[in-house]
């Protein structure tokens, strides 16, 4: 009886303690609630945030996030609600959060060249970008990085100089470094191609230009890339065989991402003309895995369009012509299991997996 009585007393004390802790948590939440960054209501369009900034004499702070990004959630839950962060941000910025995989975020991500998350971008009242930085951080560091990114206009000035036609190689190298730190891959490629123009056969001997090629060329149609794909020996001598082979494979396999586009309304299109150019170029350059890359691009497009009959056909081709790894086959069958409602296609896909199991 005594043990039961003691257990009851301890249980009551523990319950009381838990309620006390809960009350403290609720009190702390109430103290910080509403004192962090005052973001515009969900669904606010970017252009409306810019108009408000211009009217109020503020700048625009854009939080580019996705639903699956862990650091994005950390910033939203632990950094943005803090009073000191709100005290710094709210007088200076019209703040807006946009999911880069939904609505107008899809078009914004493409236009702003957002490829990693979270990315924080700053604009003036005319909607012109003045700075950005990438990645989650604690409150003090966040404020410091915001201060630098929103007051350092070097990037905007360089954008103007480039747009006005300045092509001095020293300036272009500095500009490339600025663009790279902002993860603007498309503009990096554009500037890199200018630096390599007319030097397809000779750039490999220049250590700086070889580095420009390795770090920033993403366009397989760039003359320097085409020449290197067909004659890799000079660049291999400069930087080594493994890095060059990896670079070539990376550019070939990454290009299809530019072929499939999705607008704000969710309409998905495939650039068939450039896809055919890409396939023809890979054949001319003797790319050994071009069939795998072709099917990979078509599978991705069919999945986005929910063309499951076509998807199943490409999947059969993949199994027959490429012989994917077990992991790759499972990855390619998963969208059918999760999204496709056609029982015949679901069964056909399941049969492909069963055949692989039987072979094992």
């Amino acid at each position: 009886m005594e043990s039961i009585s003691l257990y009851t007393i301890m249980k009551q004390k523990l319950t009381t303690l838990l309620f006390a802790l809960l009350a403290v948590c609720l009190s702390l939440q109430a103290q910080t609630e509403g004192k962090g960054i005052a973001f515009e209501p969900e669904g606010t369009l970017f252009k409306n945030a810019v108009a408000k900034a211009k009217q109020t004499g503020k700048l625009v702070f854009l939080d580019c996030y996705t639903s699956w990004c862990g650091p994005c959630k950390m910033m939203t839950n632990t950094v943005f609600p803090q009073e000191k962060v709100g005290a710094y941000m709210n007088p200076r910025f019209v703040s807006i959060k946009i999911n880069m995989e939904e609505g107008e975020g899809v078009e914004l991500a493409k236009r702003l060249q957002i490829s990693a998350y979270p990315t924080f971008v700053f604009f003036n009242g005319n909607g012109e970008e003045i700075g950005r930085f990438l990645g989650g951080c604690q409150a003090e560091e966040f404020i410091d990085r915001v201060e630098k990114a929103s007051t350092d206009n070097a990037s905007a000035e360089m954008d103007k100089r480039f747009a006005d036609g300045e092509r001095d190689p020293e300036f272009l190298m500095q500009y490339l470094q600025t663009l790279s730190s902002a993860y603007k891959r498309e503009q990096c490629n554009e500037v890199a191609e200018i630096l390599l123009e007319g030097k397809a056969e000779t750039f490999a001997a220049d250590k700086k230009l070889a580095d420009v090629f390795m770090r920033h060329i993403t366009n397989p149609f760039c003359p320097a890339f085409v020449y290197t794909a067909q004659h890799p020996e000079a660049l291999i001598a400069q930087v080594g065989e493994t890095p060059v082979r990896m670079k070539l494979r990376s550019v070939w396999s990454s290009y299809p991402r530019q072929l499939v586009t999705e607008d704000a309304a969710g309409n998905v299109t495939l650039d068939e003309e450039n896809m055919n150019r890409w396939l023809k170029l890979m054949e001319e350059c003797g790319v050994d895995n071009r069939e795998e890359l072709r099917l990979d691009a078509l599978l991705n497009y069919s999945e986005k369009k929910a063309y499951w009959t076509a998807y199943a056909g490409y999947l059969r081709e993949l199994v027959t012509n490429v012989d994917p790894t077990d992991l790759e086959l499972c990855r390619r069958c998963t969208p059918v299991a999760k999204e496709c409602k056609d029982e015949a296609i679901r069964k056909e896909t399941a049969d492909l997996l069963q055949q692989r199991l039987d072979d094992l």
Side-chain angles (χ1 to χ4, degrees), residues 35-52:
K35 293 185 179 181
I37 298 179
F39 284 100
E40 294 299 295
E42 184 177 352
T44 299
L45 295 176
F46 175 69
K47 66 177 182 180
N48 293 339
V50 171
K52 182 175 179 180

Side-chain angles (χ1 to χ4, degrees), residues 87-320:
Y88 176 83
M89 296 291 292
N90 294 336
R92 297 171 172 82
F93 299 95
V94 172
S95 300
I96 181 171
K97 294 172 64 69
I98 297 181
N99 186 332
M100 294 289 109
E101 296 182 335
E102 295 181 0
E104 75 163 339
V106 176
E107 186 276 330
L108 272 176
K110 182 177 180 181
R111 176 161 65 85
L112 299 175
Q113 301 175 53
I114 306 297
S115 58
Y117 303 95
T119 294
F120 307 113
V121 193
F122 303 88
F123 305 84
N124 61 25
N126 294 321
E128 300 165 335
E129 181 179 336
I130 59 174
R132 67 169 67 187
F133 65 90
L134 171 73
C137 53
Q138 296 304 310
E140 292 78 7
E141 183 183 354
F142 175 76
I143 292 172
D144 289 342
R145 296 176 77 183
V146 169
E147 177 75 19
K148 184 177 187 305
S150 61
T151 56
D152 181 4
N153 292 320
S155 178
E157 292 173 3
M158 290 182 127
D159 287 340
K160 186 177 186 308
R161 289 168 63 186
F162 181 77
D164 288 343
E166 185 167 347
R167 294 297 183 267
D168 175 72
E170 185 176 348
F171 162 73
L172 290 176
M173 292 295 283
Q174 293 174 348
Y175 187 40
L176 191 56
Q177 185 175 0
T178 300
L179 293 171
S180 178
S181 65
Y183 295 87
K184 294 184 177 180
R185 294 177 70 249
E186 292 179 24
Q187 283 178 264
C188 282
N189 176 83
E190 181 183 0
V191 175
E193 286 200 44
I194 293 172
L195 283 164
L196 295 170
E197 188 174 358
K199 302 171 184 174
E201 299 181 20
T202 61
F203 80 89
D206 184 316
K207 188 174 181 180
K208 287 186 178 180
L209 290 181
D211 184 63
V212 166
F213 178 92
M214 293 295 293
R215 287 169 56 86
H216 301 298
I217 289 296
T218 57
N219 174 24
F221 302 109
C222 168
F225 180 84
V226 175
Y227 181 82
T228 302
Q230 296 172 336
H231 309 280
E233 299 81 11
L235 189 59
I236 287 174
Q238 178 71 268
V239 301
E241 182 164 5
T242 298
V244 172
R245 299 297 182 191
M246 290 178 63
K247 174 65 179 181
L248 295 175
R249 290 181 72 89
S250 173
V251 173
W252 289 125
S253 62
S254 298
Y255 181 69
R257 298 173 193 165
Q258 303 175 40
L259 298 173
V260 179
T261 57
E262 183 176 359
D263 62 23
N267 300 309
V268 179
T269 56
L270 174 65
D271 185 345
E272 294 187 26
E273 180 181 351
N274 278 320
M275 180 165 182
N276 290 331
R277 287 181 63 215
W278 169 65
L279 293 173
K280 185 174 184 295
L281 182 61
M282 284 198 295
E283 184 176 2
E284 292 172 355
C285 293
V287 178
D288 56 3
N289 65 329
R290 59 182 181 274
E291 177 64 6
E292 180 183 359
L293 295 177
R294 179 184 76 87
L295 290 170
D296 185 63
L298 292 172
L299 282 163
N300 288 337
Y301 172 65
S302 300
E303 180 184 349
K304 284 182 175 292
K305 292 288 288 187
Y307 288 165
W308 297 114
T309 300
Y311 189 95
Y314 296 134
L315 194 55
R316 286 194 301 274
E317 285 189 61
L318 186 71
V319 172
T320 303

Side-chain angles (χ1 to χ4, degrees), residues 49-70:
V50 171
K52 182 175 179 180
K54 189 169 187 176
Q55 183 181 19
T56 58
K58 296 182 178 181
L59 301 174
V60 175
F61 165 60
L62 170 61
D63 171 21
C64 303
Y65 75 96
T66 67
S67 59
W68 47 262
C69 166

